[in-house]
Amino acid sequence: MINLFLNSFFITFVVVRVIAHTFHDRKNYGTNAENSKTITGWLRNKTGFDWHHIHLGFILLIISLSLIFYKITSFSIMLLAISLSLITDQILPLLNFGNYFSKKMIIGAIILHLVVSFLAIMIS
């Protein structure tokens, strides 16, 4: 199960970063002209709420923990890994340590992913 967790965790990180850097409209973010081609951009447009993938991560975390308390399955472990990756990737910018797209925040997210991976390995 730890291999499934780690693979899901790091694949999510890479996919989310590539999508965010490719499809996010940084120039018009926060304006009516924003044209991000991401899930969170679509949610911001439809709801008027400033959605970020950390919000989706917390929603998935609640769902995954509910499933895990019922029964540990491959699906619940994958969902846990995905949710923790979404949260870990965006926690530093949320705490105002820098711009999500900066090199500093990418390095910070990598370090946090390595810390969570180490903890997961120690727990397993």
Side-chain angles (χ1 to χ4, degrees):
M1 287 284 194
I2 189 65
N3 288 334
L4 177 63
F5 176 87
L6 293 173
N7 286 330
S8 300
F9 188 64
F10 281 105
I11 288 170
T12 299
F13 176 59
V14 170
V15 168
V16 167
R17 277 290 173 161
V18 168
I19 289 172
H21 284 262
T22 304
F23 298 108
H24 181 70
D25 182 4
R26 287 179 252 173
K27 180 181 175 189
N28 295 311
Y29 172 73
T31 70
N32 288 336
E34 180 184 357
N35 194 23
S36 292
K37 303 288 189 235
T38 61
I39 293 170
T40 54
W42 180 82
L43 286 169
R44 280 191 295 276
N45 184 36
K46 294 296 179 192
T47 66
F49 179 74
D50 191 19
W51 285 94
H52 294 277
H53 58 268
I54 194 168
H55 298 111
L56 301 177
F58 280 116
I59 292 167
L60 293 177
L61 180 63
I62 292 167
I63 294 167
S64 68
L65 291 176
S66 299
L67 293 172
I68 287 171
F69 285 130
Y70 174 71
K71 183 179 180 183
I72 297 175
T73 65
S74 295
F75 177 74
S76 63
I77 293 300
M78 285 177 53
L79 200 58
L80 177 65
I82 291 167
S83 69
L84 290 176
S85 182
L86 293 171
I87 293 166
T88 303
D89 184 41
Q90 209 165 33
I91 195 73
L92 292 176
L94 178 74
L95 297 173
N96 291 320
F97 282 98
N99 181 296
Y100 175 78
F101 295 99
S102 71
K103 184 186 279 187
K104 176 182 164 186
M105 289 300 100
I106 294 171
I107 292 168
I110 290 169
I111 291 169
L112 287 179
H113 273 75
L114 292 172
V115 169
V116 171
S117 296
F118 175 76
L119 293 172
I121 291 167
M122 296 307 292
I123 291 170
S124 68

